[in-house]
Amino acid sequence: MDVRQMIESITRELLQSMNGSQEKRPKWLFIFCDSTAHEPFADQFIALQNHGICHDILFLDGETSSWLGMHRIECGGAGKIIATDEYAPAPLELPKEYDGIAIPEIDLDNAARVATGLKGTIKAEIIFSALVLGKPVLVGEDVPGIKRADRRCLRTLSLPGPYRTLFLRHLDGMRELGVEFAAQNGMADAIIRKQEDVQREVVLAGSGEHAPQSRQPVAAKLVTADWVQSQADFPDQMLILRHGAIVSPLAMDVLKEKGIVVRYVR
């Protein structure tokens, strides 16, 4: 073992011993398209820190490679080993270490892979792993569906109509699998609410109490705009659905206008 490895090993042990006596804080993994995409989220990171929520940032170096700290992670496709240094985890392993995954921007290619159960990219593999492990996945909903690199190359900001329709269809498929969506500028608020709900459920479970009836999921499997309009009100400005429930695009627009947040529970 060389000096660098020895110092790193000692540092890891010291940090682990220091953290062992502290209360475990929730930690989310943010996945960004490149090393500059995180800059508009600085205030949201401060909000998370103020609420005791930690976060790591994964910078995508391309469709099949990324950087987590100093470690380079590579995805070679299904059935292959995905790591280029001895400490780098495979994309499938990452969700094990986090309480949730936040992806501010998703594109048509990755949305199609997730909705159809395919792998082959960092985002698709991490989302697959997180959903299998029962970890929450939060994705930005107000995105154009075209990659940042493609926007710069093609000098366009949005997909043409047919591709946009296809993109929205894949987003509905992701919702069916359990992926949750929130506005990019409200992702921190959505994470904070989710962690507060988790903490509340833990407290209720410890006390033997049950959550109030108003927070029970709606039984509807398909939420339409007419159904949303027919409801007198939504407790806490929130619509709680079970995983697998489908919200039509028009219904989602009506919910946004009313300021209703959609949550999925198992």
Side-chain angles (χ1 to χ4, degrees), residues 98-118:
Y98 297 94
D99 293 271
I101 305 297
I103 304 177
E105 187 168 334
I106 195 82
D107 56 83
L108 174 62
D109 175 55
N110 279 289
R113 289 176 181 275
V114 173
T116 54
L118 296 177

Side-chain angles (χ1 to χ4, degrees), residues 64-65 72-85 88-93 119-122 125:
T64 59
S65 61
R72 182 179 177 87
I73 301 167
E74 294 225 353
C75 171
K80 296 184 179 180
I81 301 299
I82 312 170
T84 58
D85 67 57
L92 284 175
E93 296 177 316
K119 300 180 184 177
T121 65
I122 298 288
E125 296 210 5

Side-chain angles (χ1 to χ4, degrees), residues 13-43:
E13 292 179 5
L14 289 174
L15 290 175
Q16 289 175 356
S17 63
M18 291 172 61
N19 294 333
S21 59
Q22 299 177 356
E23 181 180 356
K24 183 180 182 297
R25 300 170 64 185
K27 184 166 67 172
W28 282 61
L29 176 65
F30 277 78
I31 303 176
F32 290 99
C33 297
D34 57 48
S35 59
T36 61
H38 72 293
E39 294 173 357
F41 291 82
D43 290 344

Side-chain angles (χ1 to χ4, degrees), residues 35-194:
S35 59
T36 61
H38 72 293
E39 294 173 357
F41 291 82
D43 290 344
Q44 296 198 51
F45 294 149
I46 294 174
L48 291 176
Q49 184 179 12
N50 291 341
H51 283 79
I53 301 174
C54 304
H55 73 277
D56 282 345
I57 298 177
L58 180 66
F59 294 119
L60 292 181
D61 191 37
E63 283 304 305
T64 59
S65 61
S66 58
W67 290 92
L68 180 62
M70 297 297 293
H71 298 308
R72 182 179 177 87
I73 301 167
E74 294 225 353
C75 171
K80 296 184 179 180
I81 301 299
I82 312 170
T84 58
D85 67 57
E86 58 183 317
Y87 297 114
L92 284 175
E93 296 177 316
L94 287 179
K96 296 178 181 179
E97 307 299 326
Y98 297 94
D99 293 271
I101 305 297
I103 304 177
E105 187 168 334
I106 195 82
D107 56 83
L108 174 62
D109 175 55
N110 279 289
R113 289 176 181 275
V114 173
T116 54
L118 296 177
K119 300 180 184 177
T121 65
I122 298 288
K123 288 181 180 178
E125 296 210 5
I126 289 178
I127 292 175
F128 170 81
S129 176
L131 294 177
V132 170
L133 294 174
K135 302 288 184 72
V137 177
L138 184 65
V139 174
E141 62 184 359
D142 47 348
V143 294
I146 183 170
K147 297 181 179 70
R148 287 166 59 91
D150 292 344
R151 296 202 296 268
R152 288 192 292 265
C153 177
L154 301 175
R155 310 303 295 174
T156 184
L157 299 176
S158 60
L159 292 168
Y163 274 123
R164 182 67 184 174
T165 300
L166 181 62
F167 177 60
L168 294 176
R169 191 181 308 152
H170 288 318
L171 294 187
D172 289 337
M174 292 173 64
R175 289 188 179 94
E176 292 183 32
L177 294 174
V179 177
E180 302 178 42
F181 290 82
Q184 284 187 320
N185 61 6
M187 297 197 75
D189 293 334
I191 292 172
I192 292 168
R193 286 195 301 269
K194 181 167 287 295

